[in-house]
């Protein structure tokens, strides 16, 4: 089995003016990791470079994941997940991420099949199956992505598999049963009056499903 069930609150919808405090709050509430999106300019979280022109952080630049590897490593990220759709050379990017000391995650959008991801599965640490169209929090969970998770779990039992988008107490069972072990959750955790209990619930459901899979094998 992959490396345990872990819950990563997405801080995309948090108060970005108080991002540090929001991240600390999530870690205090038991988050196993933090999920930081850099998809949109306003969520561009790398440290600024001295003398850098403003357009370097613009939307076009954000479509080129190659250029943020080093800044993210320097900023302290321990894993860098990029979208398969956003690069022409996944192999080179995987190598670069590793050389910068980070784990590698590879994400696919809802319209991308797992067959596109499969050739890279043995070179990455984590596959991210998006369960909404990437862009913003609070969207409806796409249950029809679960066959992708199931397929990956069957083919690559030790791979970390993450889901992201619309995941919360109402949808975690589907993700857990399909085989996801890394759970990104935005609104359900960030907007809860009791984030700790939501994090615990998500982790418990996920762990129980993982244990059952082991027993069933
Ligand atoms: C979507 C983001 C998600 C989003 C999840 O592009 O990658 O991380 O913040 O938010 P919820 O859980 O509210 O769908």
């Amino acid at each position: 089995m992959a490396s345990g069930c872990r819950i990563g609150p997405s801080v995309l919808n948090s108060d970005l003016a108080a991002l540090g405090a929001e991240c600390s709050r999530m870690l205090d509430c038991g988050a196993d990791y933090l999920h930081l999106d850099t998809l949109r300019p306003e969520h561009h979280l790398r440290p600024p470079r001295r003398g850098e022109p403003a357009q370097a952080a613009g939307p076009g630049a954000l479509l080129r994941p190659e250029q943020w590897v080093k800044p993210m490593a320097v900023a302290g990220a321990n894993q860098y997940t990029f979208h398969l759709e956003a690069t022409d050379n996944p192999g080179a990017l995987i190598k670069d991420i590793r050389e910068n000391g980070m784990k590698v995650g590879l994400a696919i959008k809802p319209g991308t099949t797992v067959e596109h991801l499969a050739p890279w599965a043995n070179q990455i640490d984590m596959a991210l199956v998006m369960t909404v169209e990437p862009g913003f929090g609070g969207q409806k969970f796409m249950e029809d992505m679960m066959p992708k998770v199931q397929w990956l779990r069957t083919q690559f039992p030790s791979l970390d598999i993450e889901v992201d988008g619309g995941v919360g107490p109402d949808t975690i069972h589907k993700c857990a049963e399909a085989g996801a072990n890394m759970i990104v959750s935005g609104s359900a955790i960030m907007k809860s009056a009791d984030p700790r209990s939501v994090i615990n619930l998500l982790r418990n459901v996920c762990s129980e499903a993982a244990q059952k899979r082991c027993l069933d094998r």
Side-chain angles (χ1 to χ4, degrees):
M1 178 55 200
S3 55
C5 290
R6 282 170 283 156
I7 311 302
S10 169
V11 294
L12 184 65
N13 290 332
S14 66
D15 178 359
L16 294 181
L19 189 57
E22 287 288 79
C23 291
S24 296
R25 183 169 73 95
M26 288 300 115
L27 293 171
D28 288 347
C29 286
D32 299 296
Y33 65 105
L34 298 169
H35 176 88
L36 308 181
D37 281 285
T38 56
L39 193 69
R40 295 156 61 188
E42 65 271 35
H43 299 134
H44 185 61
L45 298 170
R46 68 172 170 77
R49 291 190 201 114
R50 195 169 295 171
E52 184 177 61
Q55 77 267 19
L62 290 169
L63 294 175
R64 299 194 302 274
E66 289 80 4
Q67 66 183 307
W68 309 123
V69 173
K70 193 166 285 297
M72 280 295 184
V74 169
N78 65 352
Q79 175 163 317
Y80 189 98
T81 300
F82 65 94
H83 265 274
L84 184 57
E85 303 87 356
T87 179
D88 292 331
N89 195 343
L93 187 46
I94 289 169
K95 186 166 175 283
D96 193 30
I97 295 167
R98 289 228 184 279
E99 284 174 359
N100 277 277
M102 294 181 286
K103 287 186 170 184
V104 180
L106 183 54
I108 50 171
K109 291 165 64 171
T112 304
T113 65
V114 266
E115 283 74 21
H116 286 93
L117 186 149
W120 305 105
N122 288 322
Q123 298 180 42
I124 60 177
D125 299 291
M126 186 200 84
L128 164 54
V129 174
M130 288 300 302
T131 45
V132 296
E133 288 296 341
F136 52 94
Q139 300 182 74
K140 189 173 183 298
F141 175 74
M142 297 170 76
E143 189 177 339
D144 54 347
M145 295 298 114
M146 292 304 96
K148 292 186 189 180
V149 176
Q150 277 162 352
W151 188 86
L152 285 169
R153 178 52 69 222
T154 306
Q155 299 295 317
F156 306 101
S158 61
L159 185 66
D160 279 330
I161 302 175
E162 185 178 64
V163 284
D164 175 16
V167 183
D170 296 339
T171 52
I172 184 62
H173 291 84
K174 303 281 181 198
C175 303
E177 280 160 22
N181 70 300
M182 291 182 68
I183 309 297
V184 174
S185 177
S187 326
I189 295 176
M190 301 299 302
K191 291 190 175 19
S192 167
D194 187 359
R196 178 181 297 277
S197 69
V198 178
I199 289 171
N200 284 338
L201 183 151
L202 299 179
R203 194 188 294 106
N204 288 343
V205 171
C206 198
S207 299
E208 279 167 23
Q211 277 165 15
K212 185 168 182 306
R213 262 195 306 282
C214 284
L215 292 175
D216 289 348
R217 270 211 294 247

